[in-house]
Amino acid sequence: MSLIESHIEKDELFEKRRDYWLRQLETLRSDEEELRQGGSAKSHARQAAKGKMSARERVAALCDPNTRFLELGLWTAYGHYEEWGGAPAAGVVVGIGTVSGHDSVIVSNDPTVKAGAWFPLTCKKVLRAQEIALENRLPIVYLVDSAGVFLPLQDEIFPDREHFGRAFYNNARLSAEGILQIAAIMGSCVAGGAYLPIMSDESHIVEGTGSIFLAGSHLVKAAIGEEIDNQELGGALVQCDVSGVVDHRHPDDMTCLEAIRRQFAQLAPGEKAPFARREVVDPLHPIDELYGIVPIDRARPYETREVLARLLDGSELDEFKANYGQTLICGTGWIEGRVVGVVANQRSIVERRKGTGSADKELQIGGVIYSDSADKGARFVELCNQKRIPLLFLQDVTGFMVGSRAERGGIIKDGAKMVNAVANSVVPKITLFTGNSYGAGNYAMCGKAYGARFLYAWPSAAIAVMGGSQASKTLLSIQLKNRGDEVSEEEKRERLERIENRYAEAMGPRYAAARLWVDAIINPVETRSILARSLAVAAGNPNLAEFKTGVLQT
C-alpha cells in the first residue's frame, strides 16, 4: 500500500471553508430535526391518548440498545404535497437497524402524517426499502399504521409498474428468496394495504388499536348496508382468533415489539460474501479536516487524494495506473477493515504526458473524464469484479471532455466502455456525491440509474444534467432566440438571475434527497462509519453473479 501524503495548510481559506460547511450542516440538521417530528403536536397527542407509540419510538424499541439506526430517505417528499399540508419524510420512517444482533430493514408508518397514508413518494420510499432488503438479503420488519392510499393522488400511486401494487409483488419475491419479512399491525391497515402484512412471512397485531380489513366500517355500510365498528370488523380478536388471518396478538405496542425481538434472536446468522477483512486502522489525518478541504465554490479545484487520506484506513491507497488517465483516481484500500475499490474524480488540474519528451505535456481539467480516464476506469471496474472487491465511487464530476479533439479521439466510445462496465458490475457498489455530478459523468460514476446498493451525498453535492452557469446561459439563449434586440441588457441580467436561482435549487442535495436520487445527506465526519456499515450490509448477500459485459467498441 502507498501512503497518501497530505499537504493541507490550515490557512485563512481552510478556516473559511470549514466555517461555511459547519454552518451549512447546522442548518441541515435543524431542518432534519423538524422532519423527524412528522405531524403536528396535536396529532402526536392523539396517538399517545390511544396508548400508541410514535413511529420513531417503535423503531427505537425494536432496535438493540446502543446501536445506530441508519435512517434512509428522511428527506423524501421535502417540498412536495404542500397543497395538502406537506408529508414530512413521506409519512414513513425507513432505515437499517440492528434487531437482536441482526442488521434489518425497518419500515414504520407515521400515523401523525395524514394517518400514515401513502403518497406517491411514500410508495417509492417503501419500494426502495424492499429493494435494499432484496439486494443485501436483509430481513425486513413492517410496523404498519396506515390509512392506505392518499385518495386525491390515487392516479399517481395505484396502477403503474412502480406503484402501490409493486410492494406486494416484492413481498412475494422476498419470501420466495427466503428473506424473512415480519409485520406488526399497530394501527389501521386497510384495503389493498392489508396484503402487505399478510404476504409477509409472519404477522402480529396489537389489541384495541390494530385493525386489518379490505373495507372499513364506512365503506361496508355504503356497500352492503351493514353497520359495524372497525374492531368488530377486523380487530385483533377477529383476525387472530376467528379468521386466523394474523398469527399473533398482543396487548400493547411494546409487548408486540418485544415478541418480534425474540423471534429475531432465534434466527441463524446469514451466510456472508467472502470479501477481504483486516484489522481497523484509523486514517493518519483527522476526518474533520474534510470541512476545510472541500471548496465553497464547486468550480474551484482541490486535491481529491486529500479527501481519500481522511477516509481510508491508514491513509493508504494501492493506486492503479497512477500516472495514466489522471483525472480519475482508481485504487484499492480499506475502510474500517473492509476492502474497497475506489473510483474517484480528481478535482485538481493534472499534467498529462503526450509523448516521451519532457516538454511534450498538456494540462487536463480536474473533474472531467477524458478518454484515457474512461479507459482506465472501465478496466479497474473489471478488475474489481474479477477480484471480488466492492466498489466505492466518489463523484465530483463535471462530465466527459467535449470539443473536436475529444470527439476525434473517440470520447463517446471510451465513455461507453466505462458505462458498460459499471452497469454490468456484480460486486456491491456504493456511491458518495462529494461535489458535482453532471451529465453522463453521473452515469459513468454510478449514479442512481446504475444500481448502487447505497447512495449518499455531502452538503456540497450538486446533481444536474450540466453545470448551473452553462445551463442558465443556454436556457436564456433559447428564451431570447426570436426576440432579437428587443430585450435590454438589464432584462437579460434579471432573467439570467432568475434562471440561475431556480437551477441552483434544483441541483442541491435536498432536491436530490427529496426525490430519492440519494438515500441520505450525511455529515462528512460520519462518512467512514456510514460507508463501513453499508459495506457490512452489502456483504450479507453472498450470491454474486458472473461478471460479463456487452459488446465494447475498441
Side-chain angles (χ1 to χ4, degrees):
M1 284 282 179
S2 300
L3 188 67
I4 304 174
E5 295 185 5
S6 178
H7 302 285
I8 288 296
E9 293 184 15
K10 295 184 179 179
D11 53 14
E12 184 179 346
L13 178 59
F14 179 95
E15 294 300 331
K16 181 179 179 182
R17 290 171 172 174
R18 178 187 180 88
D19 291 345
Y20 176 83
W21 290 120
L22 286 172
R23 288 195 304 273
Q24 293 297 308
L25 279 165
E26 186 177 353
T27 301
L28 194 76
R29 295 306 171 229
S30 175
D31 291 344
E32 289 188 338
E33 281 306 306
E34 188 173 339
L35 291 173
R36 289 190 179 95
Q37 295 301 314
S40 66
K42 186 176 180 180
S43 183
H44 277 278
R46 281 198 299 268
Q47 296 299 314
K50 296 175 184 177
K52 296 168 66 174
M53 302 167 72
S54 72
R56 293 179 184 279
E57 287 172 340
R58 289 167 175 167
V59 171
L62 180 64
C63 293
D64 295 351
N66 303 315
T67 60
R68 176 174 182 172
F69 177 66
L70 177 57
E71 185 163 2
L72 306 173
L74 174 60
W75 288 87
T76 309
Y78 177 75
H80 289 70
Y81 315 126
E82 297 299 332
E83 61 270 45
W84 290 285
V92 62
V93 180
V94 165
I96 297 171
T98 306
V99 182
S100 297
H102 297 272
D103 277 334
S104 312
V105 175
I106 301 172
V107 178
S108 180
N109 296 119
D110 186 349
T112 70
V113 179
K114 294 291 184 293
W118 285 47
F119 289 81
L121 282 167
T122 312
C123 186
K124 186 174 181 179
K125 184 172 176 178
V126 173
L127 295 183
R128 174 64 178 144
Q130 292 177 319
E131 179 182 55
I132 290 169
L134 186 61
E135 287 183 332
N136 300 289
R137 297 194 65 82
L138 293 179
I140 183 167
V141 180
Y142 307 99
L143 305 179
V144 182
D145 194 342
S146 170
V149 168
F150 186 65
L151 289 178
L153 296 175
Q154 64 85 25
D155 60 323
E156 298 179 37
I157 190 174
F158 169 64
D160 211 343
R161 186 178 186 273
E162 300 296 330
H163 281 179
F164 195 53
R166 192 72 175 186
F168 319 133
Y169 172 90
N170 288 342
N171 277 143
R173 289 184 62 218
L174 284 158
S175 187
E177 287 290 327
I179 299 169
L180 179 67
Q181 299 173 90
I182 290 182
I185 303 158
M186 311 183 85
S188 297
C189 184
V190 62
Y195 289 107
L196 186 141
I198 306 309
M199 291 188 72
S200 298
D201 299 305
E202 202 160 357
S203 58
H204 300 252
I205 190 168
V206 177
E207 298 169 6
T209 55
S211 59
I212 177 169
F213 33 65
L214 291 181
S217 56
H218 295 296
L219 182 55
V220 166
K221 183 177 180 180
I224 64 173
E226 181 183 5
E227 292 195 18
I228 189 170
D229 68 33
N230 284 339
Q231 282 298 312
E232 191 179 355
L233 179 66
L237 285 171
V238 171
Q239 298 292 27
C240 197
D241 296 15
V242 179
S243 72
V245 167
V246 181
D247 302 311
H248 311 277
R249 62 181 171 90
H250 308 278
D252 52 49
D253 282 8
M254 184 58 78
T255 306
C256 178
L257 296 169
E258 287 172 349
I260 295 173
R261 286 183 49 76
R262 289 196 302 273
Q263 291 177 328
F264 268 72
Q266 298 165 358
L267 296 180
E271 186 182 351
K272 301 292 183 182
F275 302 135
R277 298 283 303 278
R278 74 171 194 183
E279 291 296 317
V280 177
V281 180
D282 290 334
L284 298 183
H285 311 286
I287 196 167
D288 64 359
E289 290 180 351
L290 290 170
Y291 298 136
I293 293 171
V294 178
I296 299 169
D297 180 356
R298 296 186 185 97
R300 302 291 298 175
Y302 64 95
E303 174 54 65
T304 300
R305 289 182 183 85
E306 296 285 3
V307 173
L308 295 175
R310 287 151 183 85
L311 295 181
L312 298 175
D313 286 11
S315 301
E316 293 178 323
L317 178 69
D318 193 359
E319 198 162 344
F320 175 74
K321 292 183 181 287
N323 297 314
Y324 176 77
Q326 294 180 71
T327 62
L328 198 67
I329 298 172
C330 299
T332 50
W334 305 81
I335 294 179
E336 292 195 4
R338 296 182 179 275
V339 70
V340 66
V342 176
V343 182
N345 301 112
Q346 171 59 292
R347 281 307 315 277
S348 69
I349 297 171
V350 299
E351 193 174 67
R352 173 180 180 267
R353 186 181 296 278
K354 296 190 294 179
T356 57
S358 59
D360 197 9
K361 299 175 181 178
E362 67 175 1
L363 294 179
Q364 290 188 336
I365 304 167
V368 176
I369 302 177
Y370 291 77
S371 283
D372 52 358
S373 304
D375 179 69
K376 168 179 159 179
R379 180 159 167 74
F380 181 72
V381 168
E382 289 178 317
L383 280 172
C384 285
N385 277 271
Q386 177 82 352
K387 297 176 181 178
R388 294 301 197 243
I389 296 175
L391 286 159
L392 170 63
F393 293 84
L394 264 65
Q395 280 210 32
D396 194 343
V397 56
T398 53
F400 286 90
M401 190 57 190
V402 298
S404 60
R405 182 175 176 180
E407 297 295 352
R408 291 169 185 173
I411 186 64
I412 298 175
K413 172 189 66 178
D414 293 317
K417 281 192 288 188
M418 185 174 177
V419 169
N420 196 317
V422 172
N424 285 294
S425 177
V426 297
V427 296
K429 297 172 288 191
I430 299 172
T431 301
L432 174 64
F433 297 89
T434 61
N436 305 310
S437 177
Y438 297 155
N442 172 280
Y443 305 155
M445 293 294 294
C446 198
K448 182 66 184 281
Y450 282 77
R453 298 279 185 97
F454 298 97
L455 302 101
Y456 303 109
W458 283 355
S460 49
I463 303 174
V465 72
M466 65 178 72
S469 177
Q470 302 96 311
S472 299
K473 290 173 182 175
T474 302
L475 287 168
L476 181 65
S477 297
I478 294 169
Q479 287 184 11
L480 302 180
K481 182 177 179 181
N482 298 319
R483 295 192 58 185
D485 298 326
E486 298 175 18
V487 182
S488 68
E489 289 301 317
E490 183 179 357
E491 184 180 346
K492 288 180 183 179
R493 285 193 298 270
E494 289 175 354
R495 279 173 173 259
L496 182 61
E497 184 178 357
R498 287 197 299 271
I499 293 170
E500 286 176 339
N501 291 338
R502 287 200 304 271
Y503 201 84
E505 182 181 351
M507 289 168 59
R510 287 173 172 82
Y511 192 93
R515 291 154 178 79
L516 279 169
W517 301 346
V518 299
D519 294 312
I521 305 172
I522 65 174
N523 187 332
V525 300
E526 297 179 338
T527 303
R528 262 176 61 81
S529 61
I530 290 174
L531 292 179
R533 179 78 178 278
S534 303
L535 288 166
V537 166
N541 187 348
N543 306 317
L544 298 182
E546 179 188 357
F547 174 70
K548 50 189 177 182
T549 61
V551 176
L552 300 178
Q553 292 192 35
T554 58

